[in-house]
Amino acid sequence: MPVLRSSPPSPFARKVILAAAVAGLSDAFTLVVADTNDEHDSLRQQNPLGKIPCLILDDGTALYDSRVIVEWLDMQAGGNVLIPHAPAERLRVLTFQALCDGLMDAAVVTRYEFVMREESIRSARWLAHQAGKIERALAVMAKQVPVGRHDIGAVALACALGYLDLRFEGRWRAQYPGLVAWLDRFAAEVPAFEATRAKIPA
C-alpha cells in the first residue's frame, strides 16, 4: 500500500489527507510521520527536498508536492472529483488552490522565523513581506468563497484557514466573518476536517 510521509501540523499534509477523505480514498495510503529536521529521516532519500507531504507508491515511486499527490488522488477517484475536467473551471480551481498554497507557504515561513530565529536576529522586513501575502490572499479569498462541491480549491482553503487558527490564534477571523461562516459550513459538511485538526500541546 502507498505510504504518505506527513506530520500533523503541516497544512500541506493535511490538504492531502483531507482531499483523500473528500474523494472517498482515506484508505488509499498509510500515514508514516516524518521529521523534516532529522537528517537521518529517510524522507530525504524519498524526496531530495526533504519536504512533506511525500507519497511513496507501491513500486517505490515518490510523488511530491501536495499538488501532484492531489492529481494522483483525483486520478484514483476516476477524475473530475477533486479537480474539474472542464478547462475553464479546472484553471479556476487550480489557481485558487495555488492562492491557498501561497498563503500557507507564507504562514509556514513566518512560523519558522519565530521558531528558528532568536528575536534579536528576526527580520521585521521579511515578516512584513509574508504578512502582506497573507492579507492580500485573505482579501481575495473572501471575495471568491467556494460554492457547490468540495473540490481541491475548497479543501485548500479550509486547510489554509485552519493553519492560521493553529499557529496564529485565528486573528484573521475578526476581519473576515464571511470566511468564518464558510469554514463553519465546510467543517459541518466534511467531518474529516475536524478529524485532521492538529492539536498543540498545552
Side-chain angles (χ1 to χ4, degrees):
M1 175 178 285
V3 171
L4 183 71
R5 304 302 311 280
S6 65
S7 178
S10 166
F12 297 101
R14 187 184 192 188
K15 184 180 76 169
V16 167
I17 296 167
L18 189 55
V22 167
L25 295 170
S26 292
D27 296 330
F29 47 70
T30 58
L31 297 175
V32 176
V33 173
D35 183 350
T36 58
N37 292 317
D38 181 1
E39 64 182 26
H40 301 296
D41 193 305
S42 59
L43 175 68
R44 298 188 183 192
Q45 284 71 56
Q46 295 158 340
N47 176 357
L49 301 174
K51 299 176 69 174
I52 53 174
C54 178
L55 182 69
I56 315 302
L57 302 182
D58 290 337
D59 65 0
T61 300
L63 301 182
Y64 47 84
D65 58 9
S66 66
R67 286 167 289 194
V68 176
I69 301 173
V70 166
E71 290 273 3
W72 179 85
L73 285 170
D74 195 58
M75 289 188 288
Q76 297 303 302
N80 200 38
V81 176
L82 295 166
I83 305 171
H85 277 330
E89 184 67 2
R90 179 183 180 88
L91 290 175
R92 184 193 67 77
V93 168
L94 291 177
T95 299
F96 193 78
Q97 177 188 206
L99 178 66
C100 297
D101 284 358
L103 184 153
M104 292 189 288
D105 273 329
V108 168
V109 298
T110 296
R111 164 75 178 169
Y112 284 168
E113 185 76 6
F114 281 102
V115 172
M116 305 298 286
R117 292 179 184 268
E118 295 181 5
E119 185 173 1
S120 62
I121 58 173
R122 289 176 196 155
S123 171
R125 182 177 180 182
W126 175 250
L127 290 171
H129 182 60
Q130 302 307 322
K133 294 179 184 180
I134 293 170
E135 285 303 321
R136 292 191 300 274
L138 284 169
V140 171
M141 291 168 177
K143 296 176 182 178
Q144 299 180 9
V145 175
V147 295
R149 68 177 183 171
H150 299 310
D151 54 34
I152 193 55
V155 170
L157 176 58
C159 292
L161 298 177
Y163 190 73
L164 294 180
D165 279 342
L166 177 70
R167 294 302 194 192
F168 301 95
E169 301 173 339
R171 291 191 290 270
W172 63 275
R173 289 174 169 267
Q175 189 173 350
Y176 298 101
L179 288 176
V180 173
W182 178 87
L183 187 60
D184 288 344
R185 290 194 300 272
F186 182 91
E189 295 169 4
V190 183
F193 181 73
E194 181 61 34
T196 56
R197 186 187 301 274
K199 305 298 190 295
I200 297 179

